[in-house]
Amino acid sequence: MGNMFCFQCEQTAGCSGCTGAQGVCGKKEDTALLQDELTGALIGLARDFYGRDHGASADRVIIEGLFTTITNVNFDSEDIRRRIDAVRAERSRLTAAVAGEYDMNRLWRDDEDIRSLKSLILFGLRGMAAYAYHALVLGYTDGEVNNFFYKGLAVVGGTFGMDELLPVVMETGKVNLKCMELLDRANTETYGSPVPVTVPLTIEKGPFIVISGHDLRDLQLLLEQTRGKGINVYTHGEMLPAHAYPKLKEYPQLKGNFGTAWQNQQKEFKDIPAPVLFTTNCLMPVKDSYRDRVFTTEVVAYPDMVHIDEEKDFTPVIEKALELGGYAEDRVMTGINGGTQVTTGFAHGAVLGAADKVVEAVKSGAISHFFLVGGCDGAKPGRNYYTEFVKQAPKDSMILTLACGKYRFNDLDLGSIGGLPRIMDMGQCNDAYSAVRVASALAEAFGCGVNDLPLSIVLSWYEQKAVCVLLSLLSLGIKNIYIGPTLPAFLSQNVLNVLVEQFGISPISTPEEDLKKILNR
């Protein structure tokens, strides 16, 4: 292995790449290098079996391996070594290894345009693997999605030019849309279609558990095991939309939401009198003030933290909640803007259920424009842009939002139009599928293309799931997307020029300037 190099997240050092002893995310050099080794082993497995029968066991190894390498998921070098061994064992079991493992230094040192396009594919695959994993644990898989992991990894490890790589970049987005559809089906068929709900931010007195991440199955299992034990459960981060699923709402101990977005956890979890269970990203380096109460599960891991394995026995988490006891009195907490409650549950089923009302509001002029303002939140300065953008959006516009970027403004009260709140939280990042469904339905209702709608997309990005969502939007031909707070470091100038020329992608500037451009377009 060589020296650490990583530029897959928005906060990468100097907007160019993390090197040295530790990345901006807190990942140590040896851990980052092991993630590269894991990726190289996955590429070797994929090159062996792309286009050949590989079976469910190899599919799971690839999906879990890719998921492990997403930013803020796994900080545990020993766990990553075990996953490398699992990939190698899978190759040995299949007894058909014909190619060596890929050296990721070849990619990082490649021609910048080739590196850029291959990075778009690789990082898109990593994000898609998270969605595929969440569907997989609910018993839902898709052959086309699984097969593409092999193709995409094989392409990353191969020798191709720009003209050959660009179609694969677009295919990554197309297949990810299918993967998001698969996860949407898995979640709704298992837990019911989301229903709009108001979620309090107050934490009631007594023992409680905070559950963070995206995995609804982990939440369901925790709710089952805490039933009747006098322990309340609060969501955190991207688990917030879980409150909208009817089957999960049936559990009376699912009380509300704790805190705000992921990047505030080191402050918000300081001396918290309760355990925190991380089911997916985003886990940050753990501070001493709450080190003894952090638990991980799935592919999430951190050195010296208690990990809940596949048996899903949450007894250690429950015992810690009872030991710590929670707050002595109700604790009133607020969002970033001082609000004490938020709403969620405006997925495609809920919005399309009110489609007649929405269409009529547009035709009557009550609604002038739709803004999809969503994506990842993060700590780097400049993300207050999204709060100001929403505040300054015309009073007769609707704000659709999703993913953790909504925490910048989801506690604002912007009123309503025609009985619908102006801020409509569609869910987690994978619920970009809901936004696509709604946009397609509106376009059909008005007899036009999606790009002809009074709809503008303003994205914030941080990690790899935002990359695959962007690629999905581009694969649908959606144009004039605004992205920020900075452009990805892995986009070379030539690749950026292609995206600008073909899709009109723009970096954000100021809310005032961007709103002026959008509304005068």
Side-chain angles (χ1 to χ4, degrees), residues 298-363:
E298 307 293 4
V299 302
V300 186
Y302 196 88
D304 303 321
M305 300 294 106
V306 176
H307 187 78
I308 307 299
D309 62 20
E310 292 182 0
E311 296 299 317
K312 296 297 181 183
D313 181 358
F314 291 118
T315 298
V317 188
I318 292 169
E319 290 177 344
K320 180 61 73 172
L322 294 171
E323 172 195 332
L324 293 170
Y327 295 114
E329 301 293 337
D330 290 359
R331 177 70 64 95
V332 178
M333 303 180 76
T334 64
I336 289 177
N337 303 288
T340 58
Q341 62 185 27
V342 294
T343 58
T344 189
F346 290 93
H348 60 87
V351 178
L352 294 179
D356 291 346
K357 187 184 298 186
V358 173
V359 170
E360 180 55 37
V362 175
K363 288 181 176 178

Side-chain angles (χ1 to χ4, degrees), residues 275-437:
V276 182
L277 175 65
F278 283 91
T279 67
T280 49
N281 58 322
C282 291
L283 170 66
M284 294 180 73
V286 181
K287 297 291 188 180
D288 289 341
S289 65
Y290 60 95
R291 179 178 296 275
D292 65 328
R293 55 208 69 182
V294 169
F295 298 81
T296 61
T297 192
E298 307 293 4
V299 302
V300 186
Y302 196 88
D304 303 321
M305 300 294 106
V306 176
H307 187 78
I308 307 299
D309 62 20
E310 292 182 0
E311 296 299 317
K312 296 297 181 183
D313 181 358
F314 291 118
T315 298
V317 188
I318 292 169
E319 290 177 344
K320 180 61 73 172
L322 294 171
E323 172 195 332
L324 293 170
Y327 295 114
E329 301 293 337
D330 290 359
R331 177 70 64 95
V332 178
M333 303 180 76
T334 64
I336 289 177
N337 303 288
T340 58
Q341 62 185 27
V342 294
T343 58
T344 189
F346 290 93
H348 60 87
V351 178
L352 294 179
D356 291 346
K357 187 184 298 186
V358 173
V359 170
E360 180 55 37
V362 175
K363 288 181 176 178
S364 69
I367 296 176
S368 67
H369 207 90
F370 295 90
F371 294 97
L372 174 59
V373 185
C376 312
D377 206 351
K380 183 182 283 188
R383 290 181 181 269
N384 61 319
Y385 165 95
Y386 298 94
T387 310
E388 292 305 313
F389 186 98
V390 168
K391 285 181 177 179
Q392 295 179 34
K395 304 300 184 188
D396 58 356
S397 65
M398 301 291 288
I399 311 296
L400 308 177
T401 189
L402 47 82
C404 60
K406 61 176 165 273
Y407 281 101
R408 291 281 166 175
F409 50 80
N410 67 338
D411 64 321
L412 291 170
D413 182 4
L414 298 186
S416 61
I417 299 176
L420 297 170
R422 285 191 55 220
I423 297 179
M424 303 174 75
D425 175 17
M426 308 190 87
Q428 298 179 346
C429 53
N430 50 281
D431 290 309
Y433 172 71
S434 277
V436 169
R437 284 282 306 272

Side-chain angles (χ1 to χ4, degrees), residues 128 131 171-180 468-469 472:
M128 185 164 67
Y131 302 150
E171 188 178 1
T172 305
K174 179 182 177 182
V175 176
N176 181 63
L177 185 63
K178 189 175 184 67
C179 189
M180 290 193 295
C468 64
V469 168
S472 290

